[in-house]
Amino acid sequence: MKNTNSNTKLILLPYIQKQGSSNRLWLLAFISFFTLVFLATLIYTRDTTSSTTTTTSSTPLSSFTNTLLSSTVINTLLHYASKSNDTFHMPHSDLKTISDMLRKCPSPCNFLVFGLTHETLLWKALNHNGRTVFIDENRYYAAYFEEKHPEIDAYDVAYTTKRSELKELIASAKEQVGNECRPVQNLLFSECKLGLNDLPNHVYEVDWDVILVDGPRGDWPDAPGRMSPIFTAGVLARSKKGGNPKTHVFVHDFSGKVEKVSGNEFLCKENLVEATHSLGHYVLEKMDESSVQYCKNHSSGFASSSS
């Protein structure tokens, strides 16, 4: 190989030396031209790539991910969810009411659910590309559910209320309406007996569009009852900082005394837009921080509710 290269140099060198200065100038011009072409191509390619990257990064993520489930898929999910043989599952009419609201919800939709139930996976699926968070009273079941379904965002909370204390708890909240139990506040720093102040910090920072109260249990006197999540839902709805000023709050098992009385006191009859035997639908608007009244037209829920 070395000998071949040496011979080549001996042959080419005399050839180049024989060329006139004119040929050398043409050679330099030729090399310079291709160098300029190469540099121009490199610069153009870089600018084009940069422009494409900028355009892509400035495009809202929602334009790529904000895809809604088709009506066929939704109706199929509702059909099979309502066919459960379990007596605690929601009827098709209630499922469809909540589903329709999630479909109308500005995307991405923020959906907060109190209670891990038979419908948990359904709610997650229906709120496609939205944020769905579940709060449950049983820490072991919440951990188990998350382990079995990693896509589910579930947290546990320790309720300190008792269903038998309904009247006393509501009276205490009304007495503290100008202080610890204000209708507009960050419950993370509150000592209100009905307010849940030990949820994950980010739960208080999200502007929730839809809230469903379907837990905790309330079947016996010492059960937690749903006073706290109903009160908390009302405060979260009124304390929104941005997003849609309205929040849709659904209360399941609406025929129960705790659900109806607490709803009248903290979600308010004037905000009740639809009610069936099993589902109450309230629409609340955010309020001024100085507000010290839950309802505009207030009459005690005990007066209109049977035991």
Side-chain angles (χ1 to χ4, degrees):
M1 290 295 292
K2 290 182 179 180
N3 291 336
T4 302
N5 291 338
S6 177
N7 292 338
T8 302
K9 290 179 182 179
L10 290 174
I11 294 172
L12 289 178
L13 187 57
Y15 174 78
I16 294 175
Q17 288 176 346
K18 288 180 182 179
Q19 309 305 310
S21 60
S22 176
N23 287 348
R24 285 198 297 271
L25 289 175
W26 276 109
L27 180 61
L28 289 173
F30 183 78
I31 294 173
S32 299
F33 172 75
F34 275 98
T35 301
L36 289 174
V37 170
F38 173 77
L39 289 175
T41 303
L42 182 63
I43 293 172
Y44 175 79
T45 303
R46 184 185 63 184
D47 290 345
T48 302
T49 304
S50 176
S51 175
T52 303
T53 303
T54 301
T55 302
T56 303
S57 61
S58 63
T59 303
L61 182 62
S62 59
S63 65
F64 297 100
T65 61
N66 184 16
T67 55
L68 297 176
L69 294 176
S70 69
S71 298
T72 302
V73 172
I74 291 176
N75 291 334
T76 302
L77 290 172
L78 294 177
H79 171 77
Y80 284 104
S82 63
K83 293 301 179 182
S84 170
N85 293 324
D86 195 293
T87 56
F88 295 103
H89 77 276
M90 281 192 186
H92 183 274
S93 57
D94 292 351
L95 294 175
K96 190 173 188 311
T97 298
I98 300 172
S99 171
D100 289 346
M101 185 50 56
L102 290 174
R103 190 169 179 80
K104 296 175 185 176
C105 184
S107 186
C109 185
N110 295 320
F111 185 25
L112 179 63
V113 182
F114 289 94
L116 284 170
T117 66
H118 298 284
E119 290 80 28
T120 294
L121 295 178
L122 175 68
W123 300 139
K124 175 63 177 178
L126 291 177
N127 192 26
H128 188 55
N129 287 326
R131 173 185 291 185
T132 307
V133 172
F134 298 89
I135 306 296
D136 196 75
E137 62 185 298
N138 190 324
R139 62 182 302 183
Y140 301 105
Y141 186 58
Y144 163 79
F145 211 98
E146 273 197 315
E147 182 179 356
K148 188 175 181 180
H149 305 282
E151 73 278 11
I152 296 297
D153 195 8
Y155 302 94
D156 66 278
V157 62
Y159 288 99
T160 59
T161 56
K162 293 182 179 180
R163 184 183 185 279
S164 59
E165 299 172 344
L166 170 65
K167 191 171 184 177
E168 292 80 4
L169 288 168
I170 289 181
S172 174
K174 293 170 71 173
E175 289 175 3
Q176 294 291 318
V177 70
N179 191 11
E180 292 297 335
C181 300
R182 300 187 306 277
V184 179
Q185 62 169 308
N186 186 341
L187 287 172
L188 180 63
F189 308 105
S190 175
E191 294 299 326
C192 181
K193 292 181 179 179
L194 279 181
L196 296 176
N197 60 5
D198 56 349
L199 299 175
N201 291 6
H202 69 271
V203 172
Y204 303 101
E205 299 168 359
V206 174
D207 292 319
W208 300 104
D209 298 297
V210 182
I211 301 176
L212 169 62
V213 178
D214 199 10
R217 298 164 298 166
D219 314 62
W220 66 97
D222 287 341
R226 297 179 183 174
M227 303 84 73
S228 283
I230 289 174
F231 175 83
T232 299
V235 173
L236 291 175
R238 297 182 176 99
S239 305
K240 293 172 76 168
K241 300 299 183 182
N244 191 334
K246 294 183 178 181
T247 302
H248 294 264
V249 180
F250 293 93
V251 179
H252 190 221
D253 297 324
F254 195 56
S255 60
K257 179 179 178 179
V258 168
E259 288 74 14
K260 187 161 291 186
V261 171
S262 299
N264 287 342
E265 294 288 347
F266 304 119
L267 303 179
C268 309
K269 283 185 177 180
E270 70 229 32
N271 299 322
L272 183 63
V273 296
E274 185 179 4
T276 65
H277 178 74
S278 54
L279 188 69
H281 177 192
Y282 297 85
V283 179
L284 279 68
E285 294 194 22
K286 65 180 180 180
M287 296 172 60
D288 186 83
E289 290 185 9
S290 60
S291 301
V292 290
Q293 190 173 350
Y294 304 114
C295 309
K296 295 178 182 178
N297 305 312
H298 185 269
S299 60
S300 176
F302 288 101
S304 57
S305 177
S306 59
S307 299

